Amino acid sequence: MYWQTTRFRIDLARPRVMGIVNVTPDSFSDGGLYGVPQAAIAHCERLLREGADILDIGGESSRPGATALSVTEELARVRPVLQAAVTLGVPVSVDTCKPEVMRAALDLGVDIVNDIRALSAPQALATVASHPAAGVCLMHMLGDPATMQQQARDGYGDVVLDVAGWLAARLDAVCSAGIGADRVVLDPGIGFGKAVEHNFALLARQGELLALGRPLLVGWSRKSSLGVVTGRAVGDRLAASVAAALAAVVRGASVVRVHDVAATVDALRVWGAAGLSGAATMPAAAAAPQPPGSTRS
Ligand code: HH2
């Protein structure tokens, strides 16, 4: 299995670590730490030293109650960081819902669009479809960030069947728009309009999402469900986050989106060395680069 993206065909024979770079003042766990481009670029470099395979760069927090941003503001935050990140030799993802930001990022050579709204904004689907090879992550969310946690309680019949059905419909929509399925990964959207029991049901029954036939990207890092289970504040969820990432991989996730790259990479390496995955036989380097536009197969 692989993930086709603009410059890289990412081999998913071993699990991949996507390092989070929040160029925001208000992200739920690291808001304000990397809010200026120099700090964010230094953070990209640090995550790569720690073993990140993919960098995911976002300018707008999706936490409930976060301030909505204009296109201009979001671009002012992410453009200089994306510009630097695409020179670092790994796949770069932009975490955005806005088609204008997607377009600008793809014009800079960004490899992946990571959209918590699964390309549902007007023109988002067309923007990615008009690019020959950009990868995309389609994430499930119930409602929108402002209201999602109120809807969580009564929003599902069977959460796993509902999320799987919704993701299947989005996958169909993007494929019908001309985006090859090999460019798409799916994400259950941990914490996005889901109560704690919903999130853990999605982990326990992750195999049912794999049945959709595309790789899974999963983001548990520091999220509040881990705080509920451990009783720990957001800054003390490292062990819980690593455990959740590993559990997601054990249940078949191909990409884990994390803040704490070094610890996650260590855990996955030990897991691989124990013969529980193909990781021990794979080089530590990220996916093999491919020239732009020549990567389809
Ligand atoms: N979670 C967050 C943001 N983007 N994208 C995907 N595909 N999957 C996720 O689970 C996901 C995501 C929220 O985490 P973070 O970026 O740290 O927080 P904030 O949105 O407050 O910046």
Side-chain angles (χ1 to χ4, degrees):
M1 192 75 103
Y2 64 88
W3 185 10
Q4 181 64 56
T5 74
T6 302
R7 297 172 299 162
F8 298 85
R9 194 164 106 157
I10 303 172
D11 178 6
L12 300 176
R14 73 169 173 92
R16 298 288 170 172
V17 174
M18 171 183 261
I20 302 170
V21 182
N22 283 324
V23 197
T24 61
D26 55 352
S27 285
F28 80 94
S29 79
D30 56 0
L33 289 182
Y34 316 110
V36 295
Q38 297 86 328
I41 294 163
H43 192 55
C44 290
E45 290 166 349
R46 175 180 168 186
L47 296 185
L48 293 185
R49 285 195 300 277
E50 293 181 350
D53 298 295
I54 303 167
L55 294 171
D56 186 40
I57 296 164
E60 181 173 47
S61 171
S62 57
R63 73 175 169 77
T67 326
L69 279 189
S70 70
V71 170
T72 312
E73 289 168 316
E74 190 174 330
L75 269 177
R77 289 182 187 177
V78 296
R79 193 196 295 273
V81 186
L82 293 170
Q83 238 158 1
V86 295
T87 68
L88 298 176
V90 295
V92 174
S93 156
V94 63
D95 184 351
T96 188
C97 309
K98 297 191 183 75
E100 298 89 342
V101 177
M102 295 174 190
R103 173 81 275 146
L106 293 173
D107 288 348
L108 289 172
V110 159
D111 301 283
I112 296 162
V113 171
N114 171 28
D115 184 358
I116 63 167
R117 294 178 196 269
L119 304 184
S120 63
Q123 293 309 311
L125 188 49
T127 300
V128 178
S130 69
H131 191 280
V136 60
C137 175
L138 302 175
M139 197 198 80
H140 175 272
M141 171 165 53
L142 186 67
D144 61 47
T147 60
M148 61 189 180
Q149 288 316 108
Q150 284 103 58
Q151 293 189 35
R153 186 61 47 197
D154 306 313
Y156 301 100
D158 176 316
V159 66
V160 181
L161 295 181
D162 291 357
V163 169
W166 190 93
L167 288 173
R170 289 311 294 156
L171 181 59
D172 269 0
V174 304
C175 291
S176 302
I179 298 173
D182 60 345
R183 294 166 57 182
V184 183
V185 303
L186 304 175
D187 182 339
I190 300 303
F192 284 86
K194 290 159 191 105
V196 179
E197 62 270 24
H198 296 140
N199 293 319
F200 282 100
L202 286 161
L203 178 54
R205 293 167 55 196
Q206 210 175 253
E208 293 173 46
L209 304 178
L210 286 173
L212 298 173
R214 289 308 302 152
L216 294 182
L217 184 156
V218 186
W220 278 89
S221 192
R222 300 180 185 172
K223 286 190 177 161
S224 64
S225 289
L226 302 177
V228 171
V229 169
T230 60
R232 296 203 181 271
V234 68
D236 296 321
R237 295 180 190 156
L238 172 61
S241 299
V242 172
L246 198 53
V249 167
V250 168
R251 294 241 189 266
S254 295
V255 184
V256 285
R257 181 180 180 277
V258 305
H259 301 89
D260 300 293
V261 166
T264 309
V265 167
D266 281 0
L268 290 174
R269 284 191 180 150
V270 171
W271 182 70
L276 299 168
S277 78
T281 56
M282 299 287 293
Q290 308 257 328
S294 69
T295 51
R296 305 304 307 281
S297 66

